[in-house]
Amino acid sequence: MTTRAEIAAKLDDFSFQKVNFGGFLMNKRAKNSHALWTRTSDKGVTELTILTTRDFGEGNVYDVAAFTLDGTVPADVVTELRQQAESLTDRINLREHGYVYSCLEPWDGGGTIWISKKPEFRALSRIDQGIYVIPIQRLNGLNEPRWLAWARENGQLNIAIVYKP
């Protein structure tokens, strides 16, 4: 079984980031992620806690997940967040909110990407307790997201899902 420490060590290698964050745009996403990862010391890998999932068919699967930077979301908080995520998912269209987080970028959109305009699921976060909630659009053909890489630079938390640990 892969551990958080093993994944974090692999992220130092550009080729590992290229497998997880590369692809189109001539691997610009992997290059940017690798540069951020290697220049900051405030970084790590944590495990996601899936709160709810919706499968819309044809590979269109969306999750709402919670995480903390140390990897442990308290059980009582998970119970509350699951109820809130389910209720919110029943009221609004999760498909309009999901995001792939396929390279290290601001967890909240940083005001520069469309997810910053759709805060409903992220509003379930308890940032004062170090608990973050994100809506995820799974990459087609890949399993449930489990691992999340994070790096904090200049007070901005950047995240990316590591689908291929």
Side-chain angles (χ1 to χ4, degrees):
M1 178 177 195
T2 305
T3 67
R4 295 176 351 170
E6 289 170 337
I7 296 169
K10 289 179 185 179
L11 286 166
D12 289 334
D13 181 3
F14 175 71
S15 62
F16 181 76
Q17 290 215 14
K18 188 175 174 182
V19 166
N20 276 279
F21 311 141
F24 62 95
L25 299 175
M26 298 173 49
N27 296 312
K28 183 178 179 182
R29 293 177 304 158
K31 288 178 184 176
N32 291 342
S33 290
H34 187 257
L36 173 59
W37 182 264
T38 56
R39 76 175 169 253
T40 186
S41 60
D42 190 10
K43 60 188 174 189
V45 173
T46 190
E47 198 163 353
L48 291 166
T49 299
I50 302 297
L51 302 173
T52 190
T53 299
R54 294 293 189 274
D55 186 338
F56 296 98
E58 299 180 9
N60 293 300
V61 181
Y62 293 78
D63 302 289
V64 178
F67 67 93
T68 64
L69 301 187
D70 70 5
T72 307
V73 180
D76 60 325
V77 175
V78 170
T79 300
E80 289 176 34
L81 288 176
R82 275 199 174 116
Q83 292 171 350
Q84 293 171 354
E86 282 287 340
S87 176
L88 187 57
T89 301
D90 289 341
R91 287 193 323 269
I92 65 173
N93 186 353
L94 178 56
R95 291 175 87 166
E96 293 179 3
H97 295 262
Y99 193 71
V100 293
Y101 306 98
S102 60
C103 62
L104 285 169
E105 57 189 320
W107 86 276
D108 61 357
T112 61
I113 55 178
W114 71 269
I115 195 166
S116 65
K117 314 269 188 291
K118 297 191 173 269
E120 287 88 345
F121 287 96
R122 290 186 324 278
L124 299 177
S125 299
R126 299 176 181 185
I127 297 172
D128 59 324
Q129 297 174 20
I131 300 167
Y132 300 85
V133 175
I134 56 173
I136 301 167
Q137 177 184 357
R138 290 190 199 176
L139 293 177
N140 197 14
L142 295 176
N143 295 328
E144 177 178 295
R146 179 171 178 201
W147 302 105
L148 182 126
W150 62 271
R152 190 184 327 261
E153 183 176 58
N154 300 323
Q156 175 66 60
L157 178 62
N158 297 278
I159 63 170
I161 295 175
V162 181
Y163 279 103
K164 301 172 187 174

